[in-house]
Amino acid sequence: MEKIISYPLSVLFYIFFGLSLLIFHPIQWVCFYVFGYQAHKKSVDYLNFCLTKSTNVLGTRYTFKNIDSIPKNVPIIFVANHQSLYDIVGIIWYLRRFHPKFVSKKELGKGIPSVSFNLNHGGSILIDRKDPKQALPAIKGLGEYIEKNKRSAVIFPEGTRSKTGVPKRFSENGLKILCKYAPSAYVVPITINNSWKMVKFGSFPMGLGNHITYTIHNAMAVSDYKFETLFEKTEQVIVNDIKNK
């Protein structure tokens, strides 16, 4: 029954979602080239506000737990499990005060209105997952960027989305480089639940009535831990809070 009901609602959702991307693309362009970084960031924030609202058509809700526990005025490395692209929409809007920048695959850097422009001009990095030699200096640059500007990086160490909510093995490479080049940063683990249910039928129709939760765990100063301990604690606290049903 859910799937049947979802067909017309999914059409409406994609209309709103697509219009948001198309409308904000020229807005981003003007903000970036005429008014600079802060204006461009605001345009990206409100784009993602509109994208979250478009998912409300499907009955989707977002809850962030413990958001006030995130340290302020320091570099932040958000580490999260990855279940769907809607993980990103929520993070950009609800964590906007931390200026989140993403480690993204290069394929997203062209051809997608608004999204590709932001990835290319908003401070995020695009990596070729088949070419580690290219990825390492790009991640190094992101680490240096958040260290200098006291902003945040978002990394999904699974490397790809989990289609069933069951977490994949975490890779340490990207996080290790960020920690090395942002030594005053805090690692903030985030567990995301129920985002995968948005696309449980595939890209069409969409899942209905999902409550996506983001649980923010205790921040850990990079300087307080050996990397191996930090990585183990981060993966453990994220995975232990994932609900697969």
Side-chain angles (χ1 to χ4, degrees), residues 102-109 124-132 134-140 142 155-156 159 174:
F102 292 82
V103 178
S104 301
K105 58 184 181 181
K106 69 172 186 177
E107 290 82 1
L108 299 178
S124 295
I125 61 168
L126 295 164
I127 63 171
D128 183 350
R129 292 186 295 186
K130 298 178 182 178
D131 183 5
Q134 176 271 334
L136 298 182
I139 298 172
K140 171 180 177 287
L142 179 59
I155 189 167
F156 300 111

Side-chain angles (χ1 to χ4, degrees), residues 166-184:
V166 178
K168 301 178 184 296
R169 182 180 177 277
F170 281 22
S171 171
E172 67 176 37
N173 294 340
L175 179 58
K176 189 172 188 178
I177 296 169
L178 288 175
C179 289
K180 180 178 180 180
Y181 291 98
S184 68

